[in-house]
Amino acid sequence: MRGMVFDGARRPLRLELRLAPPAPAPGQVLIRVAACGVCRTDLHVVDGELTRPKLPLIPGHEIVGRVAGIGAGVGHWALGDRVGVPWLGWTCGSCRQCRAGHENLCERARFTGYDIDGGYADYAIADARYCFALPAAYDDVAAAPLLCAGLIGYRALRLAGTAERLGLYGFGAAAHIAVQVARHRGQTIFAFTKPGDRAGQDFARSLGAAWAGGSDQLPPEPLDAALIFAPVGALVPAALAATSPGGTVVCAGIHMSAIPAFPYALLWQERLVRSVANLTRQDGEEFLALAPQVPVRTTTVPFPLAEANTALDRLRRGEIEGAAVLVP
Ligand SMILES: [Zn+2]
Ligand SMILES: [Zn+2]
C-alpha cells in the first residue's frame, strides 16, 4: 500500500510504499480508502501549529472507504460496507467529560490523522465504533467533505442557536456546506471572505448567501450570530462589531492566530464568544441524516493521492473552491 507520510513540521509529505496493509486489531476495521478530504486542520499539523502529532504520521480525517478487514469482536460492519471515518477516532468512555456526554472533550481522546494514522493512504485502520454509515446519495469524493467540514460546521451552527441573520467568516470547505444547511433552516446568510476575494464572494452568493463581502466590511444588517472558520484571531473583534446585543460568535477552527485586544464595548450587552471543539458521534449521526434532506451539495477539487502536497499548498494559498479531496 501507499501512504503519504508526515515526518515533522514544515517538511513535505513523503510517499511511502509498504508491502502490506495493517491488520485490524480487536474492535477495529481495515478500510480500503476511496477518498480522503483535505482539511485545514491537516495544514495546521504540517505547518507545525498543532504541535503534538504522532510521528511519523499519515494525515487525513475525512476518510471514505470500504471495509476490507474486520477485527475480532466487530459485529456491526461487514466486508464491503461503505464507511466514513471522522476526526474523533477514540474516546475513553470513563473520564468526567465522557460520562457527561461530552465525548468531543474527552481527556484522553485520540484523533484520526493526528494521534492515529489517517486516510492519506490506500488503506486505513479505524475503531469500528467511530465509523459512520454514509448516505447513498453521495459518491465517495462528494461524501468526504461531509466528515469534517460538514460535521464541524453543523456543530458550530447548532452552538450558534437559532440566529435569523448569520455571518460566516472564511468561505472554505466548512462554510460552503454550512451555508446550505443554514439556508435550509431558514437563516439569512452574510458571507465574509478575504478583502477583494471576488471569486469567493461569488461562490458564496451562488450557494445562497444573501450578501457577500470582505471581512473588513460591516454587513448591511447586524448579525444575530457569526461563525468564524478562518484561522485569523483579528476576525473575533470584527465579528463582534458586526453582531447585535445578545449575539454569539463561534470560533470553529482548531487553531487561530492570537486575538488582538479589543474594547469591552464590543463584548458588552451579553455578546458571547465561544469555540467549537471536535465532534460527538451524535453530531455525526444527525448531520449525515440531515445532509441528503437539505440536500447539501459539496463542491470538490480531486487530487491523486501522490499530489497531497500540492493540495495542501493550494489550500494554504486559498485557491480551493469548496474542498480538496485526495483519491488513491
Ligand atoms: Zn473520556
Ligand atoms: Zn477537519
PDB file of all heavy atoms in Angstrom, residues 169-198:
ATOM      1  N   TYR A 169     -17.542  33.753   8.487  1.00  0.00           N
ATOM      2  CA  TYR A 169     -16.250  34.370   8.199  1.00  0.00           C
ATOM      3  C   TYR A 169     -15.279  33.302   7.708  1.00  0.00           C
ATOM      4  O   TYR A 169     -14.957  32.370   8.431  1.00  0.00           O
ATOM      5  CB  TYR A 169     -15.691  35.053   9.454  1.00  0.00           C
ATOM      6  CG  TYR A 169     -16.394  36.348   9.794  1.00  0.00           C
ATOM      7  CD1 TYR A 169     -17.615  36.339  10.457  1.00  0.00           C
ATOM      8  CD2 TYR A 169     -15.842  37.571   9.429  1.00  0.00           C
ATOM      9  CE1 TYR A 169     -18.269  37.531  10.754  1.00  0.00           C
ATOM     10  CE2 TYR A 169     -16.484  38.764   9.727  1.00  0.00           C
ATOM     11  CZ  TYR A 169     -17.698  38.740  10.387  1.00  0.00           C
ATOM     12  OH  TYR A 169     -18.347  39.912  10.673  1.00  0.00           O
ATOM     13  N   GLY A 170     -14.810  33.470   6.470  1.00  0.00           N
ATOM     14  CA  GLY A 170     -13.963  32.461   5.838  1.00  0.00           C
ATOM     15  C   GLY A 170     -14.869  31.537   5.051  1.00  0.00           C
ATOM     16  O   GLY A 170     -15.704  30.830   5.638  1.00  0.00           O
ATOM     17  N   PHE A 171     -14.748  31.553   3.733  1.00  0.00           N
ATOM     18  CA  PHE A 171     -15.710  30.778   2.939  1.00  0.00           C
ATOM     19  C   PHE A 171     -15.009  29.622   2.238  1.00  0.00           C
ATOM     20  O   PHE A 171     -14.902  29.575   1.020  1.00  0.00           O
ATOM     21  CB  PHE A 171     -16.468  31.676   1.952  1.00  0.00           C
ATOM     22  CG  PHE A 171     -17.820  31.111   1.621  1.00  0.00           C
ATOM     23  CD1 PHE A 171     -18.904  31.348   2.460  1.00  0.00           C
ATOM     24  CD2 PHE A 171     -17.997  30.283   0.533  1.00  0.00           C
ATOM     25  CE1 PHE A 171     -20.142  30.789   2.203  1.00  0.00           C
ATOM     26  CE2 PHE A 171     -19.235  29.710   0.264  1.00  0.00           C
ATOM     27  CZ  PHE A 171     -20.308  29.971   1.095  1.00  0.00           C
ATOM     28  N   GLY A 172     -14.539  28.676   3.036  1.00  0.00           N
ATOM     29  CA  GLY A 172     -13.879  27.485   2.503  1.00  0.00           C
ATOM     30  C   GLY A 172     -14.789  26.278   2.593  1.00  0.00           C
ATOM     31  O   GLY A 172     -16.017  26.392   2.477  1.00  0.00           O
ATOM     32  N   ALA A 173     -14.164  25.122   2.839  1.00  0.00           N
ATOM     33  CA  ALA A 173     -14.893  23.853   2.806  1.00  0.00           C
ATOM     34  C   ALA A 173     -16.046  23.830   3.811  1.00  0.00           C
ATOM     35  O   ALA A 173     -17.155  23.402   3.488  1.00  0.00           O
ATOM     36  CB  ALA A 173     -13.925  22.707   3.076  1.00  0.00           C
ATOM     37  N   ALA A 174     -15.795  24.294   5.035  1.00  0.00           N
ATOM     38  CA  ALA A 174     -16.846  24.217   6.061  1.00  0.00           C
ATOM     39  C   ALA A 174     -17.995  25.166   5.739  1.00  0.00           C
ATOM     40  O   ALA A 174     -19.166  24.783   5.785  1.00  0.00           O
ATOM     41  CB  ALA A 174     -16.259  24.532   7.439  1.00  0.00           C
ATOM     42  N   ALA A 175     -17.667  26.411   5.391  1.00  0.00           N
ATOM     43  CA  ALA A 175     -18.724  27.400   5.156  1.00  0.00           C
ATOM     44  C   ALA A 175     -19.555  27.035   3.932  1.00  0.00           C
ATOM     45  O   ALA A 175     -20.759  27.288   3.900  1.00  0.00           O
ATOM     46  CB  ALA A 175     -18.117  28.786   4.992  1.00  0.00           C
ATOM     47  N   HIS A 176     -18.938  26.414   2.923  1.00  0.00           N
ATOM     48  CA  HIS A 176     -19.712  26.130   1.714  1.00  0.00           C
ATOM     49  C   HIS A 176     -20.782  25.065   1.976  1.00  0.00           C
ATOM     50  O   HIS A 176     -21.772  24.998   1.256  1.00  0.00           O
ATOM     51  CB  HIS A 176     -18.788  25.791   0.521  1.00  0.00           C
ATOM     52  CG  HIS A 176     -18.654  24.354   0.160  1.00  0.00           C
ATOM     53  ND1 HIS A 176     -17.896  23.458   0.897  1.00  0.00           N
ATOM     54  CD2 HIS A 176     -19.172  23.632  -0.859  1.00  0.00           C
ATOM     55  CE1 HIS A 176     -17.958  22.262   0.320  1.00  0.00           C
ATOM     56  NE2 HIS A 176     -18.725  22.339  -0.740  1.00  0.00           N
ATOM     57  N   ILE A 177     -20.590  24.283   3.036  1.00  0.00           N
ATOM     58  CA  ILE A 177     -21.640  23.346   3.455  1.00  0.00           C
ATOM     59  C   ILE A 177     -22.581  24.020   4.450  1.00  0.00           C
ATOM     60  O   ILE A 177     -23.805  23.922   4.342  1.00  0.00           O
ATOM     61  CB  ILE A 177     -21.011  22.076   4.070  1.00  0.00           C
ATOM     62  CG1 ILE A 177     -20.193  21.337   2.994  1.00  0.00           C
ATOM     63  CG2 ILE A 177     -22.088  21.171   4.654  1.00  0.00           C
ATOM     64  CD1 ILE A 177     -19.402  20.155   3.518  1.00  0.00           C
ATOM     65  N   ALA A 178     -22.016  24.751   5.419  1.00  0.00           N
ATOM     66  CA  ALA A 178     -22.842  25.391   6.459  1.00  0.00           C
ATOM     67  C   ALA A 178     -23.864  26.344   5.851  1.00  0.00           C
ATOM     68  O   ALA A 178     -24.996  26.442   6.339  1.00  0.00           O
ATOM     69  CB  ALA A 178     -21.943  26.126   7.461  1.00  0.00           C
ATOM     70  N   VAL A 179     -23.485  27.040   4.779  1.00  0.00           N
ATOM     71  CA  VAL A 179     -24.425  27.999   4.185  1.00  0.00           C
ATOM     72  C   VAL A 179     -25.664  27.266   3.680  1.00  0.00           C
ATOM     73  O   VAL A 179     -26.791  27.768   3.810  1.00  0.00           O
ATOM     74  CB  VAL A 179     -23.750  28.815   3.051  1.00  0.00           C
ATOM     75  CG1 VAL A 179     -23.337  27.955   1.870  1.00  0.00           C
ATOM     76  CG2 VAL A 179     -24.649  29.939   2.552  1.00  0.00           C
ATOM     77  N   GLN A 180     -25.490  26.064   3.159  1.00  0.00           N
ATOM     78  CA  GLN A 180     -26.637  25.318   2.639  1.00  0.00           C
ATOM     79  C   GLN A 180     -27.534  24.817   3.763  1.00  0.00           C
ATOM     80  O   GLN A 180     -28.764  24.881   3.667  1.00  0.00           O
ATOM     81  CB  GLN A 180     -26.132  24.139   1.790  1.00  0.00           C
ATOM     82  CG  GLN A 180     -25.292  24.580   0.591  1.00  0.00           C
ATOM     83  CD  GLN A 180     -24.718  23.379  -0.154  1.00  0.00           C
ATOM     84  OE1 GLN A 180     -25.447  22.508  -0.622  1.00  0.00           O
ATOM     85  NE2 GLN A 180     -23.397  23.320  -0.251  1.00  0.00           N
ATOM     86  N   VAL A 181     -26.900  24.339   4.843  1.00  0.00           N
ATOM     87  CA  VAL A 181     -27.690  23.861   5.981  1.00  0.00           C
ATOM     88  C   VAL A 181     -28.437  25.033   6.628  1.00  0.00           C
ATOM     89  O   VAL A 181     -29.621  24.931   6.969  1.00  0.00           O
ATOM     90  CB  VAL A 181     -26.780  23.157   7.012  1.00  0.00           C
ATOM     91  CG1 VAL A 181     -27.575  22.722   8.232  1.00  0.00           C
ATOM     92  CG2 VAL A 181     -26.086  21.957   6.375  1.00  0.00           C
ATOM     93  N   ALA A 182     -27.752  26.162   6.761  1.00  0.00           N
ATOM     94  CA  ALA A 182     -28.366  27.323   7.406  1.00  0.00           C
ATOM     95  C   ALA A 182     -29.535  27.864   6.578  1.00  0.00           C
ATOM     96  O   ALA A 182     -30.571  28.242   7.114  1.00  0.00           O
ATOM     97  CB  ALA A 182     -27.310  28.413   7.622  1.00  0.00           C
ATOM     98  N   ARG A 183     -29.364  27.877   5.277  1.00  0.00           N
ATOM     99  CA  ARG A 183     -30.467  28.310   4.408  1.00  0.00           C
ATOM    100  C   ARG A 183     -31.665  27.380   4.576  1.00  0.00           C
ATOM    101  O   ARG A 183     -32.808  27.815   4.637  1.00  0.00           O
ATOM    102  CB  ARG A 183     -29.999  28.287   2.945  1.00  0.00           C
ATOM    103  CG  ARG A 183     -29.080  29.437   2.603  1.00  0.00           C
ATOM    104  CD  ARG A 183     -29.852  30.537   1.903  1.00  0.00           C
ATOM    105  NE  ARG A 183     -30.388  30.081   0.628  1.00  0.00           N
ATOM    106  CZ  ARG A 183     -31.465  30.581   0.049  1.00  0.00           C
ATOM    107  NH1 ARG A 183     -32.148  31.531   0.644  1.00  0.00           N
ATOM    108  NH2 ARG A 183     -31.872  30.123  -1.115  1.00  0.00           N
ATOM    109  N   HIS A 184     -31.376  26.091   4.667  1.00  0.00           N
ATOM    110  CA  HIS A 184     -32.433  25.090   4.864  1.00  0.00           C
ATOM    111  C   HIS A 184     -33.180  25.355   6.175  1.00  0.00           C
ATOM    112  O   HIS A 184     -34.385  25.117   6.275  1.00  0.00           O
ATOM    113  CB  HIS A 184     -31.778  23.703   4.881  1.00  0.00           C
ATOM    114  CG  HIS A 184     -32.730  22.568   5.092  1.00  0.00           C
ATOM    115  ND1 HIS A 184     -33.621  22.148   4.132  1.00  0.00           N
ATOM    116  CD2 HIS A 184     -32.933  21.746   6.157  1.00  0.00           C
ATOM    117  CE1 HIS A 184     -34.324  21.126   4.598  1.00  0.00           C
ATOM    118  NE2 HIS A 184     -33.922  20.859   5.822  1.00  0.00           N
ATOM    119  N   ARG A 185     -32.457  25.860   7.175  1.00  0.00           N
ATOM    120  CA  ARG A 185     -33.084  26.189   8.464  1.00  0.00           C
ATOM    121  C   ARG A 185     -33.773  27.543   8.443  1.00  0.00           C
ATOM    122  O   ARG A 185     -34.276  28.000   9.470  1.00  0.00           O
ATOM    123  CB  ARG A 185     -32.008  26.191   9.574  1.00  0.00           C
ATOM    124  CG  ARG A 185     -31.470  24.811   9.851  1.00  0.00           C
ATOM    125  CD  ARG A 185     -30.206  24.730  10.737  1.00  0.00           C
ATOM    126  NE  ARG A 185     -29.904  25.838  11.609  1.00  0.00           N
ATOM    127  CZ  ARG A 185     -29.419  25.712  12.851  1.00  0.00           C
ATOM    128  NH1 ARG A 185     -29.220  24.516  13.357  1.00  0.00           N
ATOM    129  NH2 ARG A 185     -29.124  26.764  13.554  1.00  0.00           N
ATOM    130  N   GLY A 186     -33.743  28.197   7.298  1.00  0.00           N
ATOM    131  CA  GLY A 186     -34.437  29.477   7.171  1.00  0.00           C
ATOM    132  C   GLY A 186     -33.619  30.683   7.595  1.00  0.00           C
ATOM    133  O   GLY A 186     -34.161  31.778   7.760  1.00  0.00           O
ATOM    134  N   GLN A 187     -32.320  30.496   7.782  1.00  0.00           N
ATOM    135  CA  GLN A 187     -31.470  31.612   8.205  1.00  0.00           C
ATOM    136  C   GLN A 187     -31.011  32.424   6.987  1.00  0.00           C
ATOM    137  O   GLN A 187     -30.892  31.899   5.889  1.00  0.00           O
ATOM    138  CB  GLN A 187     -30.258  31.066   8.971  1.00  0.00           C
ATOM    139  CG  GLN A 187     -30.656  30.401  10.282  1.00  0.00           C
ATOM    140  CD  GLN A 187     -29.516  29.640  10.934  1.00  0.00           C
ATOM    141  OE1 GLN A 187     -29.032  28.648  10.394  1.00  0.00           O
ATOM    142  NE2 GLN A 187     -29.099  30.090  12.102  1.00  0.00           N
ATOM    143  N   THR A 188     -30.771  33.695   7.212  1.00  0.00           N
ATOM    144  CA  THR A 188     -30.227  34.566   6.168  1.00  0.00           C
ATOM    145  C   THR A 188     -28.722  34.673   6.382  1.00  0.00           C
ATOM    146  O   THR A 188     -28.263  34.941   7.490  1.00  0.00           O
ATOM    147  CB  THR A 188     -30.872  35.966   6.262  1.00  0.00           C
ATOM    148  OG1 THR A 188     -32.291  35.798   6.135  1.00  0.00           O
ATOM    149  CG2 THR A 188     -30.366  36.877   5.158  1.00  0.00           C
ATOM    150  N   ILE A 189     -27.966  34.449   5.309  1.00  0.00           N
ATOM    151  CA  ILE A 189     -26.513  34.303   5.446  1.00  0.00           C
ATOM    152  C   ILE A 189     -25.757  35.502   4.874  1.00  0.00           C
ATOM    153  O   ILE A 189     -26.017  35.939   3.747  1.00  0.00           O
ATOM    154  CB  ILE A 189     -26.018  33.043   4.699  1.00  0.00           C
ATOM    155  CG1 ILE A 189     -26.848  31.829   5.092  1.00  0.00           C
ATOM    156  CG2 ILE A 189     -24.541  32.817   4.980  1.00  0.00           C
ATOM    157  CD1 ILE A 189     -26.880  31.554   6.560  1.00  0.00           C
ATOM    158  N   PHE A 190     -24.809  35.968   5.649  1.00  0.00           N
ATOM    159  CA  PHE A 190     -23.893  37.026   5.234  1.00  0.00           C
ATOM    160  C   PHE A 190     -22.494  36.402   5.236  1.00  0.00           C
ATOM    161  O   PHE A 190     -22.024  35.941   6.273  1.00  0.00           O
ATOM    162  CB  PHE A 190     -23.986  38.213   6.185  1.00  0.00           C
ATOM    163  CG  PHE A 190     -25.383  38.779   6.261  1.00  0.00           C
ATOM    164  CD1 PHE A 190     -26.341  38.221   7.099  1.00  0.00           C
ATOM    165  CD2 PHE A 190     -25.747  39.840   5.444  1.00  0.00           C
ATOM    166  CE1 PHE A 190     -27.645  38.725   7.142  1.00  0.00           C
ATOM    167  CE2 PHE A 190     -27.049  40.356   5.482  1.00  0.00           C
ATOM    168  CZ  PHE A 190     -28.000  39.791   6.325  1.00  0.00           C
ATOM    169  N   ALA A 191     -21.860  36.355   4.073  1.00  0.00           N
ATOM    170  CA  ALA A 191     -20.571  35.658   3.936  1.00  0.00           C
ATOM    171  C   ALA A 191     -19.434  36.673   3.845  1.00  0.00           C
ATOM    172  O   ALA A 191     -19.521  37.650   3.097  1.00  0.00           O
ATOM    173  CB  ALA A 191     -20.585  34.774   2.694  1.00  0.00           C
ATOM    174  N   PHE A 192     -18.377  36.415   4.606  1.00  0.00           N
ATOM    175  CA  PHE A 192     -17.210  37.298   4.629  1.00  0.00           C
ATOM    176  C   PHE A 192     -15.994  36.530   4.131  1.00  0.00           C
ATOM    177  O   PHE A 192     -15.693  35.445   4.630  1.00  0.00           O
ATOM    178  CB  PHE A 192     -16.944  37.796   6.046  1.00  0.00           C
ATOM    179  CG  PHE A 192     -18.085  38.580   6.643  1.00  0.00           C
ATOM    180  CD1 PHE A 192     -19.167  37.922   7.212  1.00  0.00           C
ATOM    181  CD2 PHE A 192     -18.080  39.963   6.624  1.00  0.00           C
ATOM    182  CE1 PHE A 192     -20.226  38.647   7.758  1.00  0.00           C
ATOM    183  CE2 PHE A 192     -19.134  40.690   7.166  1.00  0.00           C
ATOM    184  CZ  PHE A 192     -20.211  40.026   7.731  1.00  0.00           C
ATOM    185  N   THR A 193     -15.298  37.098   3.158  1.00  0.00           N
ATOM    186  CA  THR A 193     -14.090  36.471   2.629  1.00  0.00           C
ATOM    187  C   THR A 193     -12.912  37.408   2.893  1.00  0.00           C
ATOM    188  O   THR A 193     -13.078  38.494   3.449  1.00  0.00           O
ATOM    189  CB  THR A 193     -14.208  36.269   1.111  1.00  0.00           C
ATOM    190  OG1 THR A 193     -14.219  37.563   0.491  1.00  0.00           O
ATOM    191  CG2 THR A 193     -15.487  35.519   0.745  1.00  0.00           C
ATOM    192  N   LYS A 194     -11.728  36.979   2.457  1.00  0.00           N
ATOM    193  CA  LYS A 194     -10.595  37.912   2.451  1.00  0.00           C
ATOM    194  C   LYS A 194     -11.002  39.133   1.635  1.00  0.00           C
ATOM    195  O   LYS A 194     -11.648  38.987   0.589  1.00  0.00           O
ATOM    196  CB  LYS A 194      -9.384  37.259   1.784  1.00  0.00           C
ATOM    197  CG  LYS A 194      -8.542  36.457   2.737  1.00  0.00           C
ATOM    198  CD  LYS A 194      -7.240  36.012   2.069  1.00  0.00           C
ATOM    199  CE  LYS A 194      -6.581  34.954   2.926  1.00  0.00           C
ATOM    200  NZ  LYS A 194      -6.060  33.836   2.149  1.00  0.00           N
ATOM    201  N   PRO A 195     -10.626  40.338   2.073  1.00  0.00           N
ATOM    202  CA  PRO A 195     -10.977  41.525   1.290  1.00  0.00           C
ATOM    203  C   PRO A 195     -10.523  41.356  -0.165  1.00  0.00           C
ATOM    204  O   PRO A 195      -9.412  40.920  -0.422  1.00  0.00           O
ATOM    205  CB  PRO A 195     -10.212  42.653   1.990  1.00  0.00           C
ATOM    206  CG  PRO A 195     -10.071  42.182   3.406  1.00  0.00           C
ATOM    207  CD  PRO A 195      -9.909  40.684   3.311  1.00  0.00           C
ATOM    208  N   GLY A 196     -11.417  41.655  -1.089  1.00  0.00           N
ATOM    209  CA  GLY A 196     -11.051  41.596  -2.502  1.00  0.00           C
ATOM    210  C   GLY A 196     -11.211  40.232  -3.151  1.00  0.00           C
ATOM    211  O   GLY A 196     -10.965  40.094  -4.347  1.00  0.00           O
ATOM    212  N   ASP A 197     -11.596  39.213  -2.393  1.00  0.00           N
ATOM    213  CA  ASP A 197     -11.743  37.868  -2.967  1.00  0.00           C
ATOM    214  C   ASP A 197     -13.100  37.764  -3.672  1.00  0.00           C
ATOM    215  O   ASP A 197     -14.050  37.178  -3.173  1.00  0.00           O
ATOM    216  CB  ASP A 197     -11.601  36.802  -1.873  1.00  0.00           C
ATOM    217  CG  ASP A 197     -11.782  35.375  -2.412  1.00  0.00           C
ATOM    218  OD1 ASP A 197     -11.891  35.201  -3.650  1.00  0.00           O
ATOM    219  OD2 ASP A 197     -11.814  34.443  -1.585  1.00  0.00           O
ATOM    220  N   ARG A 198     -13.142  38.344  -4.864  1.00  0.00           N
ATOM    221  CA  ARG A 198     -14.410  38.382  -5.618  1.00  0.00           C
ATOM    222  C   ARG A 198     -14.916  36.985  -5.936  1.00  0.00           C
ATOM    223  O   ARG A 198     -16.115  36.707  -5.860  1.00  0.00           O
ATOM    224  CB  ARG A 198     -14.212  39.159  -6.928  1.00  0.00           C
ATOM    225  CG  ARG A 198     -13.976  40.629  -6.737  1.00  0.00           C
ATOM    226  CD  ARG A 198     -15.307  41.352  -6.450  1.00  0.00           C
ATOM    227  NE  ARG A 198     -15.063  42.700  -5.948  1.00  0.00           N
ATOM    228  CZ  ARG A 198     -14.694  43.725  -6.711  1.00  0.00           C
ATOM    229  NH1 ARG A 198     -14.517  43.539  -8.003  1.00  0.00           N
ATOM    230  NH2 ARG A 198     -14.501  44.909  -6.186  1.00  0.00           N
TER     231      ARG A 198
END
